[in-house]
Every structure is written in C-alpha cells, then in structure tokens.
Amino acid sequence: MTMTNPTPGNPAPAAKPIVPPKPQGRLKAALDSDIFYSWRRSPVTIVATVVALALILMAILAPWIAPHNPFDPASLNLMDGFTPPMTENQFTGNSYALGTDNQGRDMLSSIMYGSRISLFVGAMATAFAITLGVSLGLVAGYNGGMIDGIIMRIADIQLSFPGILIALLIFGIARGVIPANQQESMAIWVLIIAIGLSNWAQFARTVRGATMVERQKDYVSAARIMGVHPFLILLRHVLPNVLGPVLVIGTIGLALAIIEEATLSFLGVGVPPTQPSLGTLIRIGQQFLFSGEWWILLFPALTLILLALSVNLLGDWLRDALNPKLR
Amino acid sequence: MSDTLLDVRHLSRRFDVSAPWLNRKLEGLDKTYVNAVKDVSFTVAKGQTFALVGESGSGKSTIARLIVGLLEPTEGEIVFDGTSLARGLKGAEARRLRRRFQMIFQDPLASLNPRWRVTDIIAEPLRVFERSMNDRARHLRVGELLTLVGLSPEDGLKFPHQFSGGQRQRIAIARALAANPEFIVCDEPTSALDVSVQAQILNLMKDLQDEFGLTYVFISHNLQVVRHMATEIGVLYLGRLAEVGEAEALFATPQHPYTRMLLDAVPDIEMTGRRRKKVEGEIPSPIDPPPGCPFHPRCPFANARCRSEVPGLTRRGPQAAACHAVEEGRI
C-alpha cells in the first residue's frame, strides 16, 4: 500500500483528474491472477481444459468439420454398414476413421453431432437449474421464515430421490400433456426441463447458505437504510458475493447433466432417435457388442467419458482454486 | 439548547430467542425473550453529538439499528424532526426522510461490498436519492467526496480490500455523506481501528460535523473516544439508561454508581493517584434480568428497595440518573 494519509482536518488539495480513468489491462490482470497461477501449476487441469475445449469445439463446429452428415439419408449407403475402423469396406471400398454403424453412418460424424446435442442439453439444463436454484436460494436465504421453510423442504424432498427418477417422472408427465404431433419437436426441451428440475436443489441449498451469511453483513444493512428495494439488494449486492460456489457446483453439475442426459437417452426416453445424442449412440451400439462390432459402442462411450471426466476435473480444480481455505 | 432533531420515546425492543417450535413442544419449554432495549428515552439536538456508552450486551447497537429502521421497535416511537418513524413508513415520504439520515458501521470491511469498486460504493446513495443525476455529475461528486475524506479521486477505481482499515472507514464516511444527510448514526466507528488511526477518523468526523452541521448519535464502549466527541452522553446498562447528561457534567460529577465505576476504570495521563475501584462483576444475562434495579447485583449501595423496584430517571441539575440511592441522597 503506497497511499499517503493526509491529516483529516487538512485534506489533500484536489488532484487534477477528478474523473477517475477507466480500468485497463483486464487480460494482463487475468494472467497475473492467483487463479491462472493455480491453473498453470496443475498439469491435470491443463490436460482437462485442452480435452474439454477440443470436445466442445468439435461439437459446436460439427456441421462444418464433420466428414459426413449422418442425418442426411441421401448420403447414406447401407452397403457401408458395419465397416470396422480404418478398414476398407468389402463391398464399396470406403474407409472410415472410426468405422460405421449398422446403417452405414460414419461413427466420427455421428459422435460429433451426438456430442453437440449432449452438450447443448447439458448446458441448457444446467443453466436452467442454476437460474431456478439461485433465484429460489436467494429468496429463501434473504427472507427466511415461512418462505425459506417451504422452499427448502421442497428441496429436501427432492434431494431424497435420485435425480434420474425425478427426470423420468417429469418426462412421463410431459408425454401425457403434450399432444402427440408435437412430442418429437418438444422432446429436447422437455429433456432440458426434466434434467434442470432434478438438479436445482443443490444450487438452492448452496446459495441459501451463502445468502444467509451475506445478508447479516453491514453492506446489506447500509443498502437497506437507504431504502434500496430488496430485489435490487439481492441482485446487485448479494448475488455477486454468492456466485463463487455456484460456479464450482455449476461446472460439476454440467458433467452430471451430460451423464444424466446420456442415461435418459440410453433408456430410450431422451432425445428422439432422429437427433441421436451420445446416450442414444451408446444404446444403439450395445445391441451389436456381442456380435463383434465393438466400435459402434466403444467410441461414443469413450467420448462421453472424456467429456464428463474433463469437465469434472475442471470443476474440481475450480473448487480448490476458489476455496481460500485450501490456499 | 437548539431544536430537537431526534426524539426517542420509551423505546423498547424484545427479541424472540425461543427454541424451535418442535423442541418447545417436546421439552415443554415456554417462549423466551430478550429485552435488548427497555424503555429508553432521549433527545438529540441539531448539530450535537449524543453518545451512547455501555458494555457489550447493553443494547447500544440495537438502539442504533432501531433508529435507522433496520429493526422495528416493540414499543415506543422514534420522532425524527417532527415526523414519527413509526412502522409502515412508505413511498416518497420514506425516501425524503431516509436521505436525511445515514449510518457508519463498526467494521468497515463488512460494510463495504467486497465486489464493488469504491466509486460505485460511494455513488450508491446518489443512485438511490439523486435519480436525475447523470453519470458525469455523479463521478465528479464521488471524486469530491473522496477528496473531502482525505483520499484521492483515483482511489475510486480500487476495491475495498486494497485499503487499510482507516482508509476503509473514510470510504464508509464518504458514502454516508454522499446524499448530504443531516444525521448520522455511528455504531462504534473506531473500535475496529488502530489507536493512531482512531484519532484521525474522529478528527475527520468532527471536522465534517463543523463543516456540514451534522448531528451524530455516537455509539461506543470507549469512554476516551466519547469524551472527545460527545456533547451529551447516555450510559446504558442492560438495555436501560442508567444516566443521561451533558458530557462535561457527567465526566466531572457522575451520579449513578455504574457511571462512577466506569469512570474509575478509565486510566488518565496525569496519574492523579486517586484511589480506583475495580470494575466488578459482569453484566447479567438479559434473558433473565435481575428484579428491581438491573445494576443491584454489582452495586455497593444496593438496598432492599433496589432489589425490588425499578428506578426511573430523575433529573438533578445537568444530568439524570436512574438510581434509588442517588434519589434518596444516600450517595
């Protein structure tokens, strides 16, 4: 601290630039930060970041970089079916890096498009769970009393069931409510809501606890004395101070949501077969496992493992990096 | 004495500290309450400093929070410049009144949002109360305020954790002053600071008082600090006022035995060699306060009446004490 402290009765003469200059060098500040330092020091995290980024880029760019379009029936040749990886097909002579499935679809392209859907569902479901959980947690923690009791008991009840059961339940209800001709187009959104609703409770719990701590602090009191509306206090004062832990469980939650989506799709209640996700590909692949076509199962499963593992490792690292007690 | 700005009338605040409902039913317990503040009345004149002193648990901070409206009184009322700050003050009137009072807290790190830049912290009252102000005018005002409290306008870019304790308290003072209030409640503003910095902050507060004609309610457990700041003093004991009076008179001729005990404990530079009485005993639990005068278990002058009857404040000269012994002329 290189600040001078002029005597109070005789304040320093007004400095020229009364309007403070804009902060600069955000990137440099980010590279200097403790978090980046701890990232650099952890080889596992660097590998996880690279793998996760590669998979995410691959998913996002699938329509442009995939060698084939697995959803275009015109481009499929049934004669290409069951081509093993890196081998020429005995009828057509075509060769595929990761082989083809029973319909002759290129596995690599299927996986790229499949991870696109898996990631989209996972990210949207997590975003939905965070929005819902953080809002309810803030309200419960700030108000306390009855509202807190009701919200947190609902969360407790929900946490006593496996998430997958709740998602199945919501999925079943949606199937009964939505008219048959819209079911296929709505399926992906139903899936997102189902997974989101089965994951909000842990966000609500975390945020509620942090909010109860923050609301006791005097900066909240200062805002209350000024008569700032409780909604603005929550949004501008409390929320930025409780987001740290949300980031951590949000990252781990993303991995969980991807796995949950794969589980639902594996069980056949997830995305429609016209939009196969990684889970759908695994379900298709396991039918051929015992007949020797191992690659149809193995490659989607490996991609899912890599995706979930790398995101999870990133979450673990974030938890350690953001936790001042472990520093 | 000039006009009264704040009039606190028979203020009481009770807290429910009962066990949870289920435990009460199972264990057959009754509801338990703490009387944090009981029947406290005082007035503060414009431009003066009224100090509240007392040990931990005497209800000082509760009174501060009641005055600024963070807590609602169980009984009694608070009249600010002729308007009662009764329950349910809403809308435009509430805003007009709120901008006239502010509060400075004990721990400046907790009272400044750690995620906000200092500029935003100080500008917050301006955003609330001066809605027509544009960004540039607000920036100028923030720079002006920072200079006023002895920091520089460039400091506005930093975050609270980049400052020392004394500087943080200056920021808190700048925020309190932003919307030109008349009345500031200071809840132990120097207790979290080093002694050398305490004096700087106190002098700053005094200068600002002279400059803007501020009225302070100053809460402290430090009698030296109070002596430096206060024009009038209220001594709290277990949520009740033991003695109120002009500062000089109260320091020169304390009446209530509790005030005497406190003053005896203050070290003085002159080393007058006067005999001191040690502070004895501790403040009783407010959950189960002693009957009669709350001070009687520690009071050397207590008699049967003190043990059964709660004394009221009786005025004698420049101060008023709540003590049977003083009233009867026993001491």
Side-chain angles (χ1 to χ4, degrees):
Chain A
M1 197 82 39
T2 55
M3 306 231 355
T4 51
N5 232 339
T7 48
N10 181 16
K16 280 179 281 125
I18 294 268
V19 181
K22 282 261 167 288
Q24 45 192 334
R26 285 257 163 106
L27 182 67
K28 192 174 180 305
L31 291 180
D32 282 345
S33 66
D34 296 349
I35 294 201
F36 184 71
Y37 177 79
S38 92
W39 182 84
R40 260 187 332 191
R41 294 285 301 244
S42 162
V44 175
T45 311
I46 296 175
V47 172
T49 314
V50 170
V51 170
L53 279 180
L55 287 172
I56 289 168
L57 273 179
M58 181 189 90
I60 291 173
L61 299 176
W64 295 280
I65 60 169
H68 301 271
N69 182 353
F71 303 129
D72 180 12
S75 76
L76 294 182
N77 185 351
L78 272 180
M79 297 301 281
D80 276 337
F82 297 125
T83 314
M86 307 298 282
T87 320
E88 280 187 12
N89 184 281
Q90 49 182 324
F91 307 113
T92 61
N94 291 335
S95 164
Y96 298 91
L98 300 182
T100 61
D101 66 359
N102 55 333
Q103 312 266 339
R105 288 195 201 96
D106 172 33
M107 282 314 297
L108 179 63
S109 307
S110 294
I111 287 170
M112 285 168 120
Y113 277 85
S115 15
R116 192 175 159 86
I117 289 163
S118 285
L119 262 174
F120 176 74
V121 171
M124 291 297 282
T126 310
F128 177 60
I130 288 179
T131 315
L132 188 70
V134 169
S135 316
L136 288 174
L138 280 173
V139 170
Y142 190 73
N143 290 303
M146 269 287 260
I147 302 172
D148 179 37
I150 292 169
I151 293 177
M152 292 332 286
R153 288 307 78 73
I154 294 174
D156 285 348
I157 291 169
Q158 194 170 335
L159 283 171
S160 63
F161 291 102
I164 204 87
L165 266 185
I166 291 160
L168 276 172
L169 177 74
I170 295 163
F171 210 81
I173 293 172
R175 187 146 283 194
V177 172
I178 298 171
N181 57 345
Q182 286 173 27
Q183 265 181 8
E184 193 155 311
S185 57
M186 298 285 280
I188 205 162
W189 298 104
V190 171
L191 190 62
I192 286 167
I193 290 171
I195 297 174
L197 280 180
S198 68
N199 284 338
W200 68 275
Q202 50 174 334
F203 294 102
R205 268 197 174 175
T206 313
V207 167
R208 170 189 175 251
T211 305
M212 290 175 89
V213 174
E214 293 300 319
R215 102 176 149 178
Q216 301 294 333
K217 293 197 178 160
D218 284 338
Y219 69 84
V220 174
S221 301
R224 282 175 60 200
I225 292 169
M226 287 175 226
V228 179
H229 192 274
F231 176 76
L232 285 179
I233 294 183
L234 280 179
L235 189 71
R236 302 181 59 213
H237 283 288
V238 181
L239 182 63
N241 285 297
V242 300
L243 272 185
V246 171
L247 189 65
V248 174
I249 55 172
T251 315
I252 295 171
L254 174 64
L256 287 177
I258 291 170
I259 292 175
E260 199 168 323
E261 185 276 331
T263 312
L264 286 170
S265 295
F266 183 80
L267 294 174
V269 294
V271 291
T274 47
Q275 293 168 293
S277 71
L278 287 176
T280 323
L281 295 177
I282 293 170
R283 180 179 50 143
I284 295 169
Q286 56 96 23
Q287 301 166 7
F288 305 108
L289 188 60
F290 291 115
S291 54
E293 285 89 15
W294 48 271
W295 59 91
I296 307 179
L297 173 71
L298 182 71
F299 293 120
L302 268 181
T303 316
L304 180 68
I305 290 171
L306 274 181
L307 189 61
L309 185 67
S310 59
V311 173
N312 233 328
L313 285 171
L314 276 181
D316 278 353
W317 161 73
L318 257 186
R319 188 189 53 208
D320 294 348
L322 293 182
N323 187 348
K325 284 184 201 133
L326 291 181
R327 279 219 190 121
Chain B
M1 275 282 168
S2 47
D3 320 344
T4 301
L5 185 65
L6 182 80
D7 188 358
V8 174
R9 295 177 189 158
H10 306 289
L11 193 65
S12 296
R13 171 70 203 203
R14 209 170 53 159
F15 289 108
D16 187 347
V17 290
S18 317
W21 176 83
L22 195 61
N23 293 37
R24 282 207 312 275
K25 294 296 155 193
L26 291 177
E27 293 159 34
L29 302 170
D30 284 329
K31 285 203 154 204
T32 38
Y33 296 99
V34 168
N35 284 307
V37 176
K38 188 79 185 161
D39 196 21
V40 168
S41 305
F42 59 87
T43 60
V44 186
K46 260 189 187 125
Q48 306 287 306
T49 303
F50 184 90
L52 280 169
V53 293
E55 287 168 89
S56 321
S58 58
K60 303 177 302 249
S61 294
T62 308
I63 293 182
R65 295 183 158 255
L66 285 165
I67 293 174
V68 294
L70 286 174
L71 292 172
E72 295 201 339
T74 317
E75 276 163 54
E77 65 175 344
I78 298 161
V79 181
F80 182 77
D81 203 18
T83 318
S84 172
L85 303 177
R87 281 132 269 197
L89 193 64
K90 290 250 148 67
E93 199 194 2
R95 203 205 296 298
R96 265 201 304 282
L97 274 174
R98 279 211 179 96
R99 72 168 297 167
R100 296 175 61 189
F101 55 81
Q102 270 291 347
M103 182 161 175
I104 298 171
F105 297 89
Q106 174 173 1
D107 180 1
L109 189 57
S111 73
L112 307 173
N113 189 336
R115 305 263 162 179
W116 283 25
R117 286 181 196 279
V118 167
T119 312
D120 298 324
I121 291 173
I122 297 177
E124 193 183 17
L126 299 173
R127 284 178 198 279
V128 175
F129 296 119
E130 306 264 4
R131 290 189 171 172
S132 57
M133 208 176 211
N134 63 30
D135 282 355
R136 184 162 173 84
R138 207 182 293 128
H139 258 77
L140 284 170
R141 174 83 180 127
V142 169
E144 208 177 285
L145 286 161
L146 279 168
T147 318
L148 186 70
V149 297
L151 297 172
S152 89
E154 289 90 346
D155 291 335
L157 281 178
K158 297 184 189 161
F159 287 97
H161 67 260
Q162 293 170 291
F163 292 91
S164 70
Q167 289 170 330
R168 282 181 205 139
Q169 200 58 290
R170 285 168 195 268
I171 295 166
I173 292 172
R175 171 178 62 187
L177 291 174
N180 288 316
E182 301 157 45
F183 173 67
I184 300 181
V185 176
C186 318
D187 186 4
E188 309 220 20
T190 57
S191 316
L193 306 176
D194 291 347
V195 178
S196 56
V197 182
Q198 281 188 11
Q200 290 177 10
I201 296 294
L202 291 173
N203 286 332
L204 172 66
M205 289 177 63
K206 270 202 134 169
D207 293 337
L208 294 170
Q209 182 173 36
D210 295 342
E211 197 172 339
F212 300 108
L214 298 170
T215 308
Y216 290 139
V217 163
F218 193 95
I219 287 161
S220 182
H221 59 248
N222 186 333
L223 286 168
Q224 298 289 40
V225 166
V226 165
R227 186 171 215 166
H228 186 70
M229 294 294 290
T231 43
E232 221 177 317
I233 295 175
V235 181
L236 277 172
Y237 188 78
L238 213 61
R240 290 170 190 270
L241 273 177
E243 187 164 357
V244 205
E246 284 167 32
E248 280 174 34
L250 196 126
F251 272 98
T253 55
Q255 293 186 349
H256 196 282
Y258 180 58
T259 321
R260 296 177 192 213
M261 192 169 95
L262 286 181
L263 289 179
D264 266 353
V266 175
D268 52 34
I269 279 179
E270 283 89 22
M271 300 293 279
T272 47
R274 71 192 148 96
R275 283 182 51 79
R276 295 169 191 282
K277 246 204 343 272
K278 269 193 285 184
V279 174
E280 280 163 8
E282 268 184 50
I283 200 159
S285 158
I287 295 177
D288 186 22
C293 174
F295 188 59
H296 84 253
R298 295 165 77 180
C299 182
F301 308 102
N303 64 13
R305 189 183 169 202
C306 296
R307 279 183 272 273
S308 59
E309 194 184 322
V310 180
L313 279 173
T314 36
R315 182 158 284 280
R316 283 167 85 238
Q319 66 225 82
C323 179
H324 293 312
V326 172
E327 195 191 331
E328 292 163 7
R330 281 192 275 130
I331 48 174

